[in-house]
Amino acid sequence: MANKPTEGQRVDEPTGTEFVGHEWDGIEELDTPMPRWWVWTFYLTIVWAAVYVVLYPALPMLEKGTEGILGWSSRGDLAKDMSAADLAQQSFREQLAAIDVVKLQDNPQLMQQAVAGGAAAFKVNCVQCHGSGAAGSQGLGYPNLADDDWLWGGDLQAIEYTLIHGIRQQGDDQTRSSIMPPFAGVFSDEELNAITDHVMSFSKMANSNPLGAEIYANNCASCHGANGMGDRAQGAPNLSDAIWLYGNSRAQIQSQILAPRMGMMPKWEGRLDPVTIKMLAAYVHSLGGGEDVMEVAEDPVVNADEQP
């Protein structure tokens, strides 16, 4: 409702509202009062602000803000959430610590949580050598953990054992260890080319010859097997699967024959707790090349991997 015009004030005849005296390009402003609903809403916001200041932290002081009579704070909420998360994490770790790694796959939910935890641990401890995608590096001799080629077995227990004791770890008498002797100065150029052809023939990369087959039988078959299938008990690589740790070119294969490169992986026992090691085993197993424990156990070559 418009205010009653005062004496001497100009009034807008259609609305009966006084002009305030402001004009912009011929448009004059009327002194129209605010709607009652808007005024009351404004008053309510003032009341709400006053109540909020009393109940909740609001006013900054010299050393800290007012706490409010309810004692609520966002820091307190965060602490409660963190405590709940810590309890959930503790429960998960207790379950994982109690279960044998061989039985982990029987509990899909726990396995999924273990894989997630192992992925985080892998990023901190393993990507420096094996890469963020676990593809390794042929140039540096770091194994690809995402394929299905395993020197000592790819079941959960075998992977956990490797993580615990490492590979060629000095001071650990249970570490994984294999040694290939250097053949530099042993073979003539003809013999070196012949044995190289024979090794490459296992993966259909070259044609074998009688001389190469004879040299292989006398010098290599005891570890790699007559058909080049390798021997997990010794950590002897499979030469017939077309997966090469140090490269598959002729020059790279001959270099490995003459002066073998043998890598070292540190043991993680003592560096990481057993639960984290178990999570890492679960993650590596999940990358695509993990083997089933029962299938591996049926292979007598990998019985050693079944031992704790």
Side-chain angles (χ1 to χ4, degrees):
M1 186 173 66
N3 295 327
K4 185 177 180 180
T6 58
E7 187 177 351
Q9 281 280 18
R10 293 179 55 243
V11 176
D12 178 54
E13 292 184 1
T15 62
T17 306
E18 297 181 0
F19 289 98
V20 298
H22 301 156
E23 180 183 343
W24 295 272
D25 296 331
I27 300 174
E28 294 187 89
E29 182 181 358
L30 299 178
D31 189 14
T32 304
M34 299 297 297
R36 287 299 180 90
W37 68 265
W38 190 97
V39 174
W40 283 111
T41 302
F42 177 68
Y43 291 153
L44 286 174
T45 60
I46 295 175
V47 174
W48 168 257
V51 173
Y52 186 95
V53 168
V54 174
L55 298 179
Y56 295 96
L59 301 177
M61 309 297 284
L62 291 178
E63 295 184 359
K64 63 177 183 177
T66 56
E67 297 181 356
I69 62 175
L70 294 182
W72 178 91
S73 71
S74 57
R75 292 176 184 271
D77 270 6
L78 176 61
K80 290 178 183 178
D81 291 342
M82 292 293 289
S83 296
D86 289 342
L87 288 174
Q89 178 72 4
Q90 181 180 353
S91 174
F92 156 66
R93 291 182 69 87
E94 288 174 352
Q95 293 180 60
L96 194 57
I99 192 172
D100 191 307
V101 71
V102 176
K103 304 294 185 183
L104 189 55
Q105 286 181 296
D106 297 337
N107 188 328
Q109 182 178 0
L110 192 60
M111 180 67 176
Q112 184 178 12
Q113 290 177 299
V115 169
F122 188 90
K123 292 176 182 178
V124 175
N125 300 284
C126 310
V127 297
Q128 297 86 345
C129 295
H130 295 286
S132 59
S137 169
Q138 267 195 356
L140 298 174
Y142 298 135
N144 182 348
L145 303 179
D147 60 23
D148 57 359
D149 188 50
W150 302 92
L151 287 180
W152 284 282
D155 65 281
L156 279 166
Q157 193 169 15
I159 296 171
E160 183 187 44
Y161 185 97
T162 301
L163 286 165
I164 291 173
H165 298 289
I167 298 172
R168 303 182 185 91
Q169 171 68 64
Q170 293 183 356
D172 189 329
D173 58 3
Q174 298 185 67
T175 189
R176 305 286 201 190
S177 185
S178 61
I179 298 176
M180 175 175 168
F183 288 93
V186 176
F187 302 138
S188 65
D189 290 344
E190 179 185 4
E191 291 172 328
L192 178 61
N193 285 323
I195 183 62
T196 302
D197 285 338
H198 188 71
V199 169
M200 296 178 72
S201 72
F202 289 133
S203 52
K204 313 300 182 185
M205 297 169 58
N207 295 319
S208 183
N209 57 74
L211 177 59
E214 179 183 357
I215 296 172
Y216 179 88
N218 294 334
N219 296 274
C220 313
S222 59
C223 292
H224 294 285
N227 297 319
M229 299 290 289
D231 183 355
R232 286 182 172 180
Q234 304 180 64
N238 184 345
L239 304 178
S240 65
D241 59 7
I243 300 175
W244 303 84
L245 183 57
Y246 294 102
N248 64 351
S249 70
R250 190 176 190 84
Q252 289 170 322
I253 294 173
Q254 289 186 345
S255 175
Q256 189 66 8
I257 293 173
L258 298 176
R261 299 166 60 188
M262 290 170 285
M264 180 267 182
M265 172 182 151
K267 70 173 187 177
W268 292 101
E269 184 180 45
R271 300 187 183 197
L272 299 176
D273 62 86
V275 171
T276 301
I277 291 175
K278 194 175 291 186
M279 290 192 295
L280 275 172
Y283 174 70
V284 172
H285 186 272
S286 74
L287 290 174
E291 300 171 329
D292 184 82
V293 176
M294 295 305 295
E295 290 179 0
V296 174
E298 291 172 1
D299 186 346
V301 173
V302 295
N303 282 341
D305 291 332
E306 307 304 307
Q307 301 301 317

